[in-house]
Amino acid sequence: MKVLKFLMFTAVAVALGLLLTREPATAQTSSTTTADLVAFSAKGDDGTTLSHVILSAEGVGVPRIQFIDCNSDKAGSALTFYSAGTPLAIASNATASTTLAVVTTSAGLASNDVVVIRKRATDTYVRAVVTTNQVTNVTFTAAQTVTAGDLIYEMSANGAIGVGATSNKLFQAYGNTGVYNGQRGRPVLIELDGTSDAYIKLVSGSYER
């Protein structure tokens, strides 16, 4: 009987030892973590008939806009969101020139088209309007300074939200919806029109992997 009790005590002690020395279980995490979201914010120019914001194409994922603060004095004003087409590479350096040479054909561009010029070395962006298209050269309404390898994106309106004549207009969305979702690896152009006072005060959100 003493032997049996000893064996039972030993078995219990071994079991307790295994439980105490076992490594803790790894905690399960959701698919979206802090590392998957990179916040951004941008302010537009304080314009008269037009204010605009351009979001960088260098973000880590899909740009998801979640908050916009803006004002306009135009009754029918609207926030217009633009998507970017396949970029054209600029062929040579240019300083304060309205005509830029491109590496590949620019046959898709036409007079009055809105484009975004991306300066890759500094990750800065310029909104520009096409005057004429000469296949291997594009002329703009304003002079541009660029470096070979910079990119031109043709922009296409992809949605709008009415604002009207108001001094402060807020749009908010929470979770994974957003006010507007852009394209991974492409700039996003947002415009607001006005009569004499249009201003996009703030655009914020996050890039989501």
Side-chain angles (χ1 to χ4, degrees), residues 70-185:
C70 62
N71 68 263
S72 175
D73 63 347
K74 183 178 178 180
S77 71
L79 281 165
T80 303
F81 302 87
Y82 289 79
S83 58
T86 302
L88 300 171
I90 293 173
S92 57
N93 297 353
T95 302
S97 175
T98 56
T99 300
L100 304 181
V102 293
V103 173
T104 56
T105 179
S106 57
L109 296 177
S111 178
N112 295 320
D113 278 355
V114 175
V115 303
V116 165
I117 299 173
R118 176 183 177 186
K119 301 181 181 183
R120 302 182 73 178
T122 56
D123 191 38
T124 54
Y125 300 79
V126 177
R127 177 190 182 276
V129 178
V130 175
T131 301
T132 57
N133 168 29
Q134 300 169 329
V135 183
T136 56
N137 294 280
V138 184
T139 303
F140 299 97
T141 57
Q144 307 294 332
T145 297
V146 296
T147 302
D150 288 348
L151 301 174
I152 300 173
Y153 296 86
E154 182 178 12
M155 308 303 289
S156 301
N158 196 35
I161 299 175
V163 174
T166 176
S167 59
N168 195 348
K169 193 77 172 183
L170 301 176
F171 299 95
Q172 283 185 296
Y174 300 94
N176 293 325
T177 55
V179 174
Y180 179 80
N181 297 325
Q183 304 157 277
R184 185 187 302 269

Side-chain angles (χ1 to χ4, degrees), residues 1-8:
M1 181 62 70
K2 291 183 178 180
V3 173
L4 180 58
K5 288 183 178 181
F6 174 77
L7 291 175
M8 292 176 63

